[in-house]
Amino acid sequence: MTDMNHVFLIGRLTKDLGADERSFAYVGNGQMARANVSIAVNRSKKEGDQWTDEVNYFDVTIWGKTAENLKQYLQKGKQIAVDGYLKQDRWQKDGQNFSKVSIVANTVQLLGGKSDNGQSAGGVPRFQPKPAMNMQQGGGMSQGNSYNADSVSPADGGFPEDIPF
């Protein structure tokens, strides 16, 4: 049995790509581009009667043509979706063991962000998830029959009557 290592995050970049020498480089004799970015991911949680935001920061490595193509768009505050896997680096320094977990991106999608005047940036591609795979009552798999939230009315309990399970 194979284990699973898969991460999907949506967050905002904490600084511009290329702001320092370590954030973008060509490695392997200049053959492959590597971009190192950091994203802030907000999570709402309830403390007593109040909802508060908890912020977590994650380091993301983007490789190859994806890094090259996104270089000009990855600016502080830009919202991105990262689909990838976790990677743990371990090393030893002065006799002490160190470890760091980061995300290696398989795909990165631009979701928008704020322009300099605080308005939403126009013309930015939006994330469109692929149609969900749903079980039909006949037992077969079908693509494109995803749950539509607009078809649900609060009066009927919030669920469509033809749930396939």
Side-chain angles (χ1 to χ4, degrees):
M1 184 171 144
T2 308
D3 296 332
M4 179 180 273
N5 181 355
H6 188 245
V7 176
F8 183 82
L9 294 172
I10 296 176
R12 295 192 180 272
L13 294 166
T14 61
K15 63 182 175 181
D16 292 347
L17 180 62
D20 61 24
E21 299 148 5
R22 295 183 312 183
S23 67
F24 187 87
Y26 286 92
V27 296
N29 297 330
Q31 299 294 322
M32 185 173 295
R34 185 212 64 226
N36 290 326
V37 297
S38 178
I39 61 172
V41 178
N42 290 328
R43 181 178 160 275
S44 294
K45 65 179 188 174
K46 194 167 187 175
E47 292 179 358
D49 292 340
Q50 298 286 340
W51 284 94
T52 60
D53 281 337
E54 174 184 81
V55 182
N56 292 287
Y57 299 93
F58 299 98
D59 293 328
V60 179
T61 303
I62 308 165
W63 290 98
K65 291 287 184 191
T66 304
E68 288 178 20
N69 293 337
L70 291 176
K71 183 178 179 185
Q72 65 182 334
Y73 301 109
L74 297 181
Q75 299 168 347
K76 183 177 180 176
K78 176 73 69 178
Q79 190 178 41
I80 63 172
V82 176
D83 187 358
Y85 61 92
L86 296 176
K87 180 177 184 284
Q88 182 179 30
D89 292 318
R90 296 179 184 188
W91 68 96
Q92 213 174 40
K93 183 178 178 181
D94 299 328
Q96 286 201 317
N97 293 328
F98 292 92
S99 164
K100 177 182 177 181
V101 176
S102 61
I103 298 165
V104 178
N106 290 327
T107 60
V108 175
Q109 295 185 5
L110 302 174
L111 297 181
K114 302 226 183 243
S115 62
D116 292 339
N117 61 5
Q119 299 296 322
S120 178
V124 176
R126 298 286 180 197
F127 174 70
Q128 295 294 326
K130 293 180 181 176
M133 297 286 284
N134 290 333
M135 291 295 290
Q136 301 244 334
Q137 286 183 351
M141 295 293 283
S142 165
Q143 206 172 31
N145 297 323
S146 60
Y147 173 74
N148 182 359
D150 296 334
S151 66
V152 177
S153 68
D156 65 5
F159 293 102
E161 291 182 8
D162 60 342
I163 296 176
F165 52 87

